Amino acid sequence: MNRTGAPMILLRGGRILDPSQQLDETGDVLLSEGVVEAVGRLGEVRRDGNELETIDCAGRVVSPVFIDVHCHLREPGREEVETIASGARAAAAGGFTAVCAMPNTDPVTDNQAAVGFILSQARRAAAARVYPIGAISIGEKGETLAEFGEMVGAGAVAVSDDGKPVVSAQLMRTALEYARTFGIPVADHCEEPTLAAGGAMNEGITSARLGLRGIPAEAEEIMAIRDMLLARLTGGHIHLCHMSTRGSVELIRWGKERGINVTAEVCPHHLSLTEEAVEGYDTNAKMNPPLRTAADVEALQAAVKDGTIDVIATDHAPHHYDEKEREFADAPNGIIGLETALAVNLTWLVHSGIVALPLLVERMSCAPARLFKLPGGTLRKGAIADVTVFDPDAVWTVDATKFASKGRNTPYAGRELRGLVALTVVDGRVIHRRSS
Amino acid sequence: MTGSLGKDLLGLEHLSGDQIRLILDTAEPFKEISERAIKKVPTLRGSTIVNLFFEASTRTRVSFEFAEKRLSADTVSVAASGSSVSKGETLVDTARNLEAMRIDMVVIRHGASGAAQFLAERIGSNVINAGDGTHEHPTQGLLDLLTLRDRFKRLEGLKICICGDVLHSRVARSNIWGLKKMGAEVGVCGPRSLLPNAIEEMGVTVFKRVEDAIQWADALNVLRLQLERMQAGYIPSLREYNRVFGISRERLERAPKDLLILHPGPMNRGVEIDSDVADGPHSVILNQVTNGVAVRMAVLYLLAGGKPELAEAAKGGGGR
C-alpha cells in the first residue's frame, strides 16, 4: 500500500502538454504516491503490489492542472450562494485543482483564524485545493493594515481587498512594502471609486442608449498606473486583477518594460464578450469591471498572447438567482466562471487561432503557480500529482442547472462551447470524472 | 393580444418609422373625443389596466388615466408608496401577482432603466413604458412628434434641438430615436457634463452654445433641469445654467425665424426656460399635454389589437 492510499494512475496515450518543460508529445503519465512518477512512453508499468488504474487518454490533452488565482467561494457568510465545498467541486469540474479564495466573505478573511477556517473547510470538502487570500485591510475598510504575517503563517498566499479598491495611496504603499517581508503578491482591484460610483456597465454608446450609468475605462486605468508607480517606489509585487481595458494593457506593458514588479490577470469573459451582451438588460452580463468594447477584447487577447497579461483567472462570483432577477442597476455584480473557463478560453482564444494551446496551459496553470508560489503547474517528475485531462474539441451546450457550483449566473447559458474537462486529479486522486 | 405594434411599447428605439407613423395617424381621430361634451367611447370596455407608478408623477399618470377612462377601460392606479413595493416586494413578484389577476395591460413608471422590459418579458399582459429610469419615455416622445407634426405638417427635414440634461433624460432618448426615424435632424445642446460621452454616436449634432442651436433649429425641446444635478456637482449653479443655457426671449429674438418651443414639464421657470418664453406665442407646451391624451389613447387602442383603419369607426358608437 502506498502513502496516500490511492491507487497508482496511468494516463495512457494522451497529448502531454507541459509548458513548464516545453513538453508537447504523445505519451503516458504515471502518478504514484501523490506525485508525478514518470512521463513519456512508459510501456509496461511495474505495479510493485500497488493497485493501478489505467485511463485511456487517446485524443485528449494531459496537462498540469489549472490554477485559479481569483475566485469567490462566499463561505463564510453566504453559504446559500456557494460554499467552499460546492466551489471546490465546481473547480474540479472545470479542471482546476487549486483556487485562491478572495477574502470578501462575511466576516472578512482578515486574520489568521479566518484563514484557518477556510483551510479546514477545504480539507473537509476533499475536492480542489483552496488557498486563502487574506485582506489587505481589516474588514476591507481601507483603513488599518491586516496582519499579513499571521495570515501567511496560517496559509494565506496573497493579500487583496478585492471587491473594493484600496482608496488610500498611502495604505497601498504600506501594503506593498509590508508584503515584501512575506514574499506575497498584493492582488489589486483597480477602481477609482468616484469615477465608478453608481456605474452599472461600461461607459459608451451602449450605456448611453440603455440609459445606464457608465463606468469609464479610466476608472480602472488610473488605479492600475497609480499602483504600478507604488510598486516601483516600494519594490513590492503588484498583481493587477481582472484587467478589462486596452488602456490597462498599454500601461502594464509600460510598467513591465521598466522592470516594475507587476503581473496581471484577465478573466475569460473579458476575453470573449463585449458590452453588447448587456443589451436587453441581461443581469448575467453585469460584473465589475464591466464588459467593454471589441477593441478592448482584442487588446486583451493580444496581451495574453504576448505575455503582457500573465494569467487568466475566473473571478468566479456566484449569486443567488433572486438577486440577479431584478432591475439591472440594482442587480449585484459578478458571474460564475469555474466550469466554463476552459471552454471559453479554448473557444475564443485557441480555436479562433489567436493563442496556441500550450500557451493557454501556461496562462491557466504554470504562470499562476509561479506568480503565487503554489505547488503544481508542472508535470516534472516528483511534482505533485495534480493533472487535468481534457478534450479540446468536444462541443457542448452550457446548461447552468447542471453545474456543481450553486451559482447559475452565467452569460454563456445556452451557448455552444468547445472544450470539455474529462478528468481532474488532485494529489494522485481522481476528484472529477466526466460521466459520459 | 398582439396588434400592429407587437405586445408592448417599451421605447421608440426599436420601432420602425411606419409603426411610429401609425401611432401618430391613429391619434388623430382620438383627439376629437377629448373635445366632446361626453368624453367617452366604448372601445376598451371590459379591459382592465393597471397604472403602476414606482415614481411620483402627476402629469403622465393623469394623462394615462384619462386616456384609459375615455376608452372605457377599467383602471387601477397604484403608487409605489403605500403598496406592497414599499414592504420590499420585488418587481418580479409584483409582476406575477398582476399576471395572476388577469390584467390586460400594465402602464409602468419606474426609476430603473429597463424596468418596463423586465416586466414585459415576465408577463403576458401588454406593457406600456411610462418612463423607465434614464432610458425611454416613448409616449412623451410620440406626443412631442404629434405636436411638431401638427404645427409643421411634416417631420421630415425638420431641425429639432433638444436642450439641457440629455444624460439623465428618458425624454431626450425617445425624442432622438423618434425624430430620426421620422426623417428629422436632431441636435442637442447643454453642458458637456450633462451629455452622454458617446452622444455623437447616436447620430445627433452637438451644439456647444445655445445661440448656435437657436440659429440652426426649427424647434427647441427644452428639458427640465433637476435640482439634484446641481447638488451632484454636474453644474456649478442654477443661476449660471440659466445665464449660459437658459432659453430666454432675448436669445430667441436673435433667431433667423420663429422657433417652436416644447417642454415635457414640469418646468423650472427661470432655470432652463424663462417665463416669457414658456407663456409666449411660440410655446406649444399645453398643446403637448392635450396631445398626450390622444397619443396614449392610440397606443392603448393599437396594443389592444385595434385595427388602425377602424380607429375612426371605433370611437363612434356610444358616447354621443
Side-chain angles (χ1 to χ4, degrees), chain B residues 71-151:
Chain B
L71 292 172
S72 302
D74 294 319
T75 70
V76 178
S77 290
V78 183
S81 60
S83 76
S84 48
V85 172
S86 55
K87 296 173 197 151
E89 184 173 270
T90 62
L91 188 54
V92 66
D93 283 335
T94 304
R96 287 185 188 132
N97 278 286
L98 291 174
E99 181 91 296
M101 284 184 266
R102 307 290 181 259
I103 305 295
D104 295 300
M105 290 194 198
V106 179
V107 176
I108 177 174
R109 157 72 59 95
H110 197 289
S113 300
Q117 179 172 348
F118 181 93
L119 195 68
E121 285 168 355
R122 282 158 184 79
I123 61 176
S125 321
N126 307 111
V127 173
I128 299 173
N129 181 6
D132 63 326
T134 56
H135 176 226
E136 284 221 40
H137 189 354
T139 56
Q140 177 72 44
L142 290 164
L143 72 88
D144 291 343
L145 294 179
L146 187 62
T147 307
L148 288 165
R149 198 175 74 168
D150 285 350
R151 284 305 170 107

Coordinates of all heavy atoms in Angstrom, one line a residue, chain B residues 71-151:
Chain B
L71 N -61.6 55.7 -23.0 CA -61.8 54.5 -23.9 C -62.6 53.4 -23.1 O -62.7 52.3 -23.5 CB -60.4 53.9 -24.3 CG -59.6 54.7 -25.3 CD1 -58.2 54.1 -25.5 CD2 -60.3 54.9 -26.6
S72 N -63.1 53.8 -21.9 CA -64.0 52.9 -21.1 C -63.3 51.7 -20.5 O -64.0 50.7 -20.2 CB -65.2 52.4 -22.0 OG -65.9 53.5 -22.4
A73 N -62.0 51.8 -20.3 CA -61.3 50.6 -19.7 C -61.5 50.7 -18.2 O -61.8 51.8 -17.6 CB -59.8 50.7 -20.0
D74 N -61.4 49.6 -17.5 CA -61.4 49.6 -16.0 C -60.0 49.7 -15.5 O -59.1 49.0 -15.9 CB -62.0 48.3 -15.5 CG -63.5 48.2 -15.8 OD1 -64.2 49.2 -15.8 OD2 -63.9 47.1 -16.2
T75 N -59.7 50.7 -14.7 CA -58.4 51.0 -14.4 C -58.1 51.1 -12.9 O -59.0 51.5 -12.1 CB -57.9 52.4 -15.0 OG1 -58.6 53.4 -14.3 CG2 -58.2 52.4 -16.4
V76 N -56.9 50.7 -12.5 CA -56.5 50.9 -11.1 C -55.1 51.6 -11.2 O -54.3 51.2 -12.0 CB -56.4 49.6 -10.4 CG1 -55.8 49.8 -9.0 CG2 -57.7 48.8 -10.4
S77 N -54.9 52.6 -10.4 CA -53.6 53.2 -10.3 C -52.9 52.9 -9.0 O -53.6 53.0 -7.9 CB -53.7 54.7 -10.5 OG -54.1 55.0 -11.8
V78 N -51.7 52.4 -9.1 CA -51.0 52.0 -7.9 C -49.8 52.9 -7.8 O -48.9 53.0 -8.7 CB -50.6 50.6 -7.9 CG1 -49.9 50.2 -6.6 CG2 -51.7 49.7 -8.2
A79 N -49.7 53.6 -6.6 CA -48.4 54.4 -6.4 C -47.5 53.5 -5.5 O -48.0 52.8 -4.6 CB -48.8 55.7 -5.7
A80 N -46.3 53.6 -5.8 CA -45.4 52.7 -5.1 C -45.4 52.8 -3.6 O -45.4 51.8 -2.8 CB -43.9 52.9 -5.6
S81 N -45.5 54.0 -3.1 CA -45.6 54.2 -1.7 C -47.0 53.8 -1.2 O -48.0 54.2 -1.9 CB -45.3 55.6 -1.3 OG -46.2 56.5 -1.9
G82 N -47.1 53.0 -0.2 CA -48.4 52.6 0.3 C -48.8 51.2 -0.4 O -49.8 50.6 0.0
S83 N -48.0 50.7 -1.3 CA -48.3 49.4 -1.9 C -47.3 48.4 -1.3 O -46.5 48.8 -0.5 CB -48.1 49.5 -3.4 OG -46.7 49.5 -3.7
S84 N -47.4 47.2 -1.8 CA -46.5 46.2 -1.2 C -45.1 46.4 -1.6 O -44.2 45.8 -1.0 CB -47.0 44.8 -1.7 OG -47.2 44.8 -3.1
V85 N -44.9 47.3 -2.6 CA -43.5 47.5 -3.0 C -42.7 48.1 -1.9 O -41.6 47.8 -1.7 CB -43.5 48.5 -4.3 CG1 -42.1 48.9 -4.6 CG2 -44.1 47.8 -5.4
S86 N -43.4 49.0 -1.1 CA -42.7 49.6 0.0 C -42.4 48.6 1.1 O -41.7 48.9 2.0 CB -43.5 50.8 0.5 OG -44.8 50.4 0.9
K87 N -43.1 47.5 1.0 CA -42.8 46.4 2.0 C -41.6 45.5 1.5 O -41.4 44.5 2.1 CB -44.0 45.6 2.3 CG -45.1 46.4 3.0 CD -46.4 45.5 3.0 CE -47.6 46.3 3.3 NZ -48.8 45.7 2.7
G88 N -41.0 45.9 0.4 CA -39.9 45.2 0.0 C -40.2 44.1 -1.1 O -39.4 43.3 -1.4
E89 N -41.4 44.1 -1.7 CA -41.7 43.2 -2.7 C -40.9 43.5 -3.9 O -40.7 44.6 -4.3 CB -43.2 43.2 -3.0 CG -43.6 42.2 -4.1 CD -45.1 42.1 -4.3 OE1 -45.8 41.4 -3.5 OE2 -45.6 42.8 -5.1
T90 N -40.4 42.4 -4.6 CA -39.6 42.6 -5.8 C -40.5 42.9 -7.0 O -41.6 42.5 -7.0 CB -38.7 41.4 -6.1 OG1 -39.5 40.3 -6.3 CG2 -37.8 41.1 -4.9
L91 N -39.9 43.5 -8.0 CA -40.6 43.7 -9.2 C -41.1 42.4 -9.8 O -42.2 42.4 -10.4 CB -39.7 44.5 -10.2 CG -40.3 45.1 -11.4 CD1 -41.6 45.9 -11.1 CD2 -39.3 45.9 -12.2
V92 N -40.4 41.4 -9.7 CA -40.8 40.1 -10.3 C -42.0 39.6 -9.6 O -42.9 39.0 -10.2 CB -39.6 39.1 -10.4 CG1 -39.2 38.7 -9.1 CG2 -40.0 37.9 -11.3
D93 N -42.1 39.7 -8.3 CA -43.3 39.3 -7.6 C -44.5 40.2 -7.9 O -45.6 39.6 -8.0 CB -43.0 39.3 -6.0 CG -42.1 38.1 -5.6 OD1 -42.2 37.1 -6.3 OD2 -41.5 38.2 -4.6
T94 N -44.2 41.4 -8.0 CA -45.3 42.3 -8.4 C -45.9 41.9 -9.7 O -47.1 41.8 -9.9 CB -44.8 43.8 -8.5 OG1 -44.2 44.1 -7.3 CG2 -45.9 44.7 -8.8
A95 N -45.0 41.6 -10.7 CA -45.4 41.1 -12.0 C -46.2 39.9 -11.9 O -47.3 39.8 -12.6 CB -44.1 40.9 -12.8
R96 N -45.8 38.9 -11.1 CA -46.5 37.6 -11.1 C -47.9 37.8 -10.5 O -48.9 37.2 -10.9 CB -45.7 36.6 -10.2 CG -44.5 36.1 -11.0 CD -43.8 35.1 -10.1 NE -42.5 34.7 -10.8 CZ -41.4 34.7 -10.2 NH1 -41.3 34.9 -8.9 NH2 -40.3 34.4 -10.8
N97 N -48.0 38.7 -9.5 CA -49.3 39.0 -8.9 C -50.3 39.6 -9.9 O -51.4 39.3 -9.9 CB -49.1 39.9 -7.6 CG -48.7 39.0 -6.4 OD1 -49.6 38.3 -5.9 ND2 -47.5 39.1 -6.1
L98 N -49.8 40.5 -10.7 CA -50.6 41.2 -11.7 C -51.1 40.1 -12.7 O -52.3 40.1 -13.0 CB -49.8 42.3 -12.4 CG -49.5 43.5 -11.6 CD1 -48.6 44.4 -12.4 CD2 -50.7 44.2 -11.2
E99 N -50.1 39.3 -13.1 CA -50.5 38.2 -14.0 C -51.6 37.4 -13.5 O -52.6 37.0 -14.2 CB -49.2 37.4 -14.2 CG -49.4 36.3 -15.2 CD -49.0 36.7 -16.6 OE1 -49.7 37.6 -17.1 OE2 -48.0 36.2 -17.1
A100 N -51.5 37.1 -12.2 CA -52.5 36.2 -11.6 C -53.9 36.8 -11.5 O -54.9 36.1 -11.4 CB -52.0 35.8 -10.1
M101 N -53.9 38.2 -11.6 CA -55.2 38.9 -11.5 C -55.7 39.1 -12.9 O -56.8 39.7 -13.1 CB -55.1 40.2 -10.8 CG -55.0 40.0 -9.3 SD -55.0 41.6 -8.4 CE -53.2 41.8 -8.2
R102 N -55.1 38.5 -13.9 CA -55.5 38.6 -15.3 C -55.7 40.0 -15.8 O -56.8 40.4 -16.3 CB -56.9 37.8 -15.5 CG -56.8 36.4 -15.0 CD -55.9 35.5 -15.9 NE -55.9 34.1 -15.4 CZ -54.9 33.6 -14.7 NH1 -53.9 34.3 -14.3 NH2 -54.9 32.3 -14.3
I103 N -54.7 40.8 -15.6 CA -54.7 42.2 -16.1 C -54.5 42.2 -17.6 O -53.7 41.4 -18.1 CB -53.6 43.0 -15.4 CG1 -53.8 42.9 -13.9 CG2 -53.6 44.4 -15.9 CD1 -55.0 43.5 -13.3
D104 N -55.2 43.0 -18.3 CA -54.9 43.1 -19.8 C -53.7 43.9 -20.1 O -52.9 43.6 -21.0 CB -56.1 43.7 -20.5 CG -57.3 42.8 -20.4 OD1 -57.2 41.6 -20.8 OD2 -58.3 43.2 -19.8
M105 N -53.5 45.0 -19.4 CA -52.4 45.9 -19.7 C -51.8 46.5 -18.4 O -52.5 46.7 -17.5 CB -52.9 47.1 -20.6 CG -53.2 46.8 -22.0 SD -53.4 48.3 -22.9 CE -54.3 47.7 -24.3
V106 N -50.5 46.8 -18.5 CA -49.9 47.5 -17.4 C -49.1 48.7 -17.9 O -48.4 48.6 -18.9 CB -48.8 46.5 -16.7 CG1 -48.1 47.3 -15.6 CG2 -49.5 45.3 -16.2
V107 N -49.4 49.8 -17.3 CA -48.6 51.0 -17.6 C -47.6 51.2 -16.5 O -48.0 51.2 -15.3 CB -49.5 52.2 -17.7 CG1 -48.7 53.5 -17.9 CG2 -50.5 52.1 -18.8
I108 N -46.3 51.2 -16.8 CA -45.4 51.3 -15.7 C -44.4 52.5 -15.8 O -43.9 52.8 -16.9 CB -44.5 49.9 -15.6 CG1 -43.5 50.0 -14.5 CG2 -43.9 49.6 -16.9 CD1 -42.7 48.8 -14.2
R109 N -44.3 53.1 -14.7 CA -43.3 54.2 -14.5 C -42.3 53.7 -13.4 O -42.8 53.3 -12.3 CB -44.0 55.5 -14.1 CG -43.1 56.5 -13.3 CD -42.1 57.2 -14.2 NE -42.6 58.0 -15.3 CZ -42.9 59.3 -15.2 NH1 -42.7 59.9 -14.1 NH2 -43.4 59.9 -16.3
H110 N -41.0 53.7 -13.7 CA -40.1 53.1 -12.7 C -38.8 53.8 -12.8 O -38.4 54.3 -13.8 CB -39.9 51.6 -13.0 CG -39.3 50.8 -11.9 ND1 -38.0 50.9 -11.5 CD2 -39.8 49.9 -11.1 CE1 -37.7 50.1 -10.5 NE2 -38.8 49.4 -10.3
G111 N -38.1 53.9 -11.7 CA -36.8 54.6 -11.6 C -35.6 53.9 -12.2 O -34.6 54.5 -12.4
A112 N -35.8 52.6 -12.5 CA -34.7 51.9 -13.1 C -34.8 51.7 -14.6 O -35.9 51.2 -15.1 CB -34.6 50.5 -12.4
S113 N -33.8 52.0 -15.3 CA -33.7 51.8 -16.7 C -33.9 50.3 -17.0 O -33.3 49.5 -16.3 CB -32.4 52.2 -17.3 OG -32.2 53.6 -17.1
G114 N -34.8 49.9 -17.9 CA -35.0 48.5 -18.3 C -36.1 47.9 -17.5 O -36.5 46.7 -17.7
A115 N -36.7 48.6 -16.5 CA -37.8 48.0 -15.7 C -39.0 47.6 -16.5 O -39.6 46.6 -16.2 CB -38.2 49.0 -14.6
A116 N -39.4 48.4 -17.5 CA -40.5 48.1 -18.3 C -40.3 46.8 -19.1 O -41.1 45.9 -19.2 CB -40.9 49.2 -19.2
Q117 N -39.1 46.7 -19.7 CA -38.7 45.5 -20.4 C -38.7 44.3 -19.5 O -39.2 43.2 -19.9 CB -37.4 45.7 -21.1 CG -37.0 44.4 -21.9 CD -35.8 44.6 -22.8 OE1 -35.3 45.7 -23.0 NE2 -35.3 43.5 -23.3
F118 N -38.2 44.5 -18.3 CA -38.1 43.4 -17.3 C -39.5 42.8 -17.1 O -39.8 41.6 -17.1 CB -37.5 43.9 -16.0 CG -37.4 43.0 -14.9 CD1 -36.2 42.2 -14.8 CD2 -38.4 42.7 -14.0 CE1 -36.1 41.3 -13.7 CE2 -38.3 41.8 -13.0 CZ -37.1 41.1 -12.8
L119 N -40.5 43.8 -16.9 CA -41.9 43.4 -16.6 C -42.4 42.7 -17.9 O -43.1 41.6 -17.8 CB -42.7 44.6 -16.3 CG -44.0 44.4 -15.6 CD1 -43.9 43.8 -14.2 CD2 -44.8 45.7 -15.6
A120 N -42.2 43.3 -19.0 CA -42.8 42.8 -20.3 C -42.4 41.4 -20.6 O -43.1 40.6 -21.1 CB -42.4 43.7 -21.4
E121 N -41.1 41.0 -20.2 CA -40.6 39.7 -20.5 C -41.2 38.7 -19.6 O -41.0 37.5 -19.8 CB -39.1 39.7 -20.4 CG -38.4 40.4 -21.6 CD -36.9 40.6 -21.3 OE1 -36.4 40.3 -20.2 OE2 -36.3 41.1 -22.3
R122 N -41.8 39.1 -18.5 CA -42.3 38.2 -17.5 C -43.8 38.0 -17.4 O -44.3 37.2 -16.6 CB -41.7 38.6 -16.1 CG -40.2 38.1 -16.0 CD -39.4 38.9 -15.0 NE -38.0 38.5 -15.0 CZ -37.1 38.9 -15.9 NH1 -37.5 39.8 -16.9 NH2 -35.9 38.5 -15.9
I123 N -44.5 38.9 -18.1 CA -46.0 38.7 -18.0 C -46.6 38.7 -19.4 O -46.0 39.3 -20.4 CB -46.7 39.8 -17.2 CG1 -46.4 41.2 -17.7 CG2 -46.2 39.7 -15.7 CD1 -47.1 42.3 -17.0
G124 N -47.7 38.1 -19.6 CA -48.3 38.1 -20.9 C -49.1 39.3 -21.2 O -49.4 39.6 -22.4
S125 N -49.4 40.2 -20.2 CA -50.2 41.4 -20.5 C -49.4 42.4 -21.3 O -48.1 42.3 -21.3 CB -50.5 42.1 -19.2 OG -50.9 41.2 -18.2
N126 N -50.1 43.3 -22.0 CA -49.4 44.3 -22.7 C -48.7 45.3 -21.7 O -49.3 45.6 -20.7 CB -50.3 45.1 -23.6 CG -51.2 44.2 -24.5 OD1 -52.4 44.1 -24.3 ND2 -50.5 43.6 -25.5
V127 N -47.5 45.7 -22.0 CA -46.8 46.6 -21.1 C -46.5 47.9 -21.8 O -46.0 47.9 -23.0 CB -45.5 46.0 -20.5 CG1 -44.7 47.0 -19.7 CG2 -45.8 44.8 -19.7
I128 N -46.9 49.0 -21.2 CA -46.5 50.3 -21.8 C -45.6 51.0 -20.8 O -45.8 51.1 -19.6 CB -47.8 51.2 -22.0 CG1 -48.8 50.5 -22.9 CG2 -47.4 52.6 -22.5 CD1 -50.1 51.2 -23.0
N129 N -44.4 51.4 -21.4 CA -43.4 52.1 -20.6 C -43.8 53.6 -20.5 O -43.9 54.3 -21.4 CB -42.1 52.0 -21.3 CG -41.0 52.7 -20.6 OD1 -41.2 53.1 -19.4 ND2 -39.8 52.7 -21.2
A130 N -44.1 54.0 -19.2 CA -44.4 55.4 -19.0 C -43.2 56.1 -18.4 O -43.3 57.1 -17.7 CB -45.6 55.5 -18.0
G131 N -42.0 55.6 -18.7 CA -40.8 56.2 -18.3 C -40.0 55.3 -17.4 O -40.5 54.9 -16.3
D132 N -38.8 54.8 -17.9 CA -38.0 53.9 -17.1 C -36.6 54.5 -16.9 O -35.8 54.6 -17.8 CB -37.9 52.5 -17.7 CG -37.3 52.5 -19.1 OD1 -37.4 53.5 -19.8 OD2 -36.6 51.5 -19.4
G133 N -36.4 54.9 -15.7 CA -35.1 55.5 -15.3 C -34.6 56.6 -16.3 O -35.4 57.5 -16.6
T134 N -33.4 56.4 -16.8 CA -32.9 57.4 -17.8 C -32.9 56.8 -19.2 O -32.1 57.2 -20.0 CB -31.5 57.9 -17.4 OG1 -30.7 56.7 -17.3 CG2 -31.5 58.6 -16.1
H135 N -33.8 55.8 -19.4 CA -33.8 55.1 -20.7 C -34.8 55.7 -21.7 O -34.3 56.5 -22.5 CB -34.2 53.6 -20.4 CG -34.3 52.8 -21.6 ND1 -35.3 51.9 -21.8 CD2 -33.5 52.7 -22.7 CE1 -35.2 51.3 -23.0 NE2 -34.1 51.8 -23.6
E136 N -36.1 55.4 -21.6 CA -37.0 56.0 -22.6 C -38.3 56.4 -21.9 O -38.7 55.9 -20.8 CB -37.3 54.9 -23.7 CG -36.1 54.8 -24.7 CD -36.7 54.7 -26.1 OE1 -37.6 55.4 -26.5 OE2 -36.1 53.9 -26.9
H137 N -39.0 57.2 -22.6 CA -40.4 57.6 -22.2 C -41.1 57.8 -23.5 O -41.4 58.9 -24.1 CB -40.3 59.0 -21.5 CG -41.6 59.4 -20.8 ND1 -42.8 58.7 -21.0 CD2 -41.9 60.4 -20.0 CE1 -43.7 59.3 -20.3 NE2 -43.2 60.4 -19.7
P138 N -41.5 56.6 -24.1 CA -42.0 56.6 -25.5 C -43.2 57.4 -25.8 O -43.3 58.1 -26.8 CB -42.2 55.1 -25.8 CG -42.2 54.4 -24.5 CD -41.4 55.2 -23.6
T139 N -44.2 57.4 -24.9 CA -45.4 58.2 -25.2 C -45.1 59.7 -25.1 O -45.8 60.4 -25.9 CB -46.6 57.8 -24.2 OG1 -46.2 58.0 -22.8 CG2 -47.0 56.4 -24.4
Q140 N -44.2 60.1 -24.3 CA -43.8 61.5 -24.3 C -43.1 61.9 -25.7 O -43.4 62.9 -26.3 CB -42.8 61.8 -23.2 CG -42.3 63.3 -23.2 CD -43.4 64.3 -22.8 OE1 -44.1 64.0 -21.8 NE2 -43.4 65.4 -23.5
G141 N -42.3 61.0 -26.2 CA -41.6 61.2 -27.5 C -42.7 61.3 -28.6 O -42.6 62.1 -29.4
L142 N -43.7 60.4 -28.5 CA -44.7 60.4 -29.5 C -45.6 61.6 -29.5 O -45.9 62.2 -30.5 CB -45.6 59.2 -29.3 CG -45.0 57.8 -29.6 CD1 -45.8 56.7 -29.0 CD2 -44.8 57.6 -31.1
L143 N -45.9 62.1 -28.3 CA -46.7 63.3 -28.2 C -45.9 64.6 -28.7 O -46.5 65.5 -29.2 CB -47.3 63.5 -26.8 CG -46.5 63.9 -25.6 CD1 -46.4 65.4 -25.5 CD2 -47.0 63.4 -24.3
D144 N -44.6 64.5 -28.4 CA -43.8 65.6 -29.0 C -43.8 65.6 -30.5 O -43.9 66.6 -31.2 CB -42.4 65.5 -28.5 CG -42.3 65.8 -27.0 OD1 -43.2 66.4 -26.4 OD2 -41.2 65.4 -26.4
L145 N -43.7 64.4 -31.1 CA -43.8 64.2 -32.5 C -45.1 64.7 -33.1 O -45.2 65.4 -34.1 CB -43.6 62.8 -32.9 CG -42.2 62.1 -32.7 CD1 -42.2 60.7 -33.1 CD2 -41.1 62.9 -33.4
L146 N -46.2 64.3 -32.4 CA -47.5 64.7 -32.9 C -47.7 66.3 -32.8 O -48.2 66.9 -33.7 CB -48.6 64.1 -32.0 CG -50.0 64.2 -32.5 CD1 -50.2 63.6 -33.8 CD2 -51.0 63.6 -31.5
T147 N -47.1 66.9 -31.8 CA -47.3 68.3 -31.6 C -46.4 69.0 -32.7 O -46.9 70.0 -33.3 CB -46.8 68.7 -30.2 OG1 -47.4 68.0 -29.2 CG2 -47.0 70.2 -30.0
L148 N -45.3 68.5 -33.0 CA -44.4 69.1 -34.1 C -45.1 68.9 -35.4 O -45.2 69.8 -36.2 CB -43.1 68.4 -34.1 CG -42.1 68.8 -32.9 CD1 -40.9 67.8 -32.9 CD2 -41.6 70.2 -33.1
R149 N -45.7 67.7 -35.6 CA -46.4 67.5 -36.9 C -47.6 68.4 -37.1 O -47.9 68.8 -38.2 CB -46.7 66.0 -37.0 CG -47.0 65.6 -38.5 CD -47.2 64.1 -38.6 NE -48.6 63.7 -38.1 CZ -49.1 62.5 -38.3 NH1 -48.4 61.6 -39.0 NH2 -50.3 62.2 -37.8
D150 N -48.3 68.6 -36.0 CA -49.5 69.5 -36.1 C -49.1 70.9 -36.6 O -49.8 71.4 -37.4 CB -50.1 69.7 -34.7 CG -50.9 68.5 -34.2 OD1 -51.1 67.6 -35.0 OD2 -51.2 68.5 -33.0
R151 N -47.9 71.4 -36.1 CA -47.5 72.7 -36.4 C -46.9 72.8 -37.8 O -47.1 73.8 -38.6 CB -46.6 73.3 -35.4 CG -47.3 73.7 -34.1 CD -48.4 74.7 -34.4 NE -49.2 75.0 -33.3 CZ -49.1 76.1 -32.6 NH1 -48.3 77.1 -33.0 NH2 -49.9 76.3 -31.6

